[in-house]
């Protein structure tokens, strides 16, 4: 899987997790799962080269 594919997968997962948070705003497990995805995406984007 290329870096772009992995980033896109994380971006889609982030959207899904944020929708889950909207659907269950008081569920701590849902919030933790969303936080994990956001942190993973943050790491991925920080490791990516800056656009030219």
């Amino acid at each position: 899987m290329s870096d772009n594919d992995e980033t896109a997968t994380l971006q889609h997962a982030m959207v899904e997790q944020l929708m889950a948070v909207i659907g269950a705003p008081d569920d701590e497990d849902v919030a933790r799962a969303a936080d994990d995805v956001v942190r993973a995406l943050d790491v991925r984007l920080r490791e990516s080269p800056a656009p030219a």
Side-chain angles (χ1 to χ4, degrees):
M1 184 180 282
S2 75
D3 286 344
N4 286 339
D5 291 341
E6 290 179 24
T7 301
T9 298
L10 282 170
Q11 289 171 330
H12 289 288
M14 181 187 70
V15 171
E16 290 174 11
Q17 289 299 321
L18 293 177
M19 294 300 290
V21 168
I22 291 169
D26 296 329
D27 189 321
E28 290 184 18
D29 292 331
V30 170
R32 281 189 202 96
D35 187 54
D36 290 344
V37 171
V38 170
R39 288 176 189 266
L41 181 58
D42 183 52
V43 168
R44 165 67 60 190
L45 293 174
R46 287 177 189 270
E47 291 173 349
S48 299

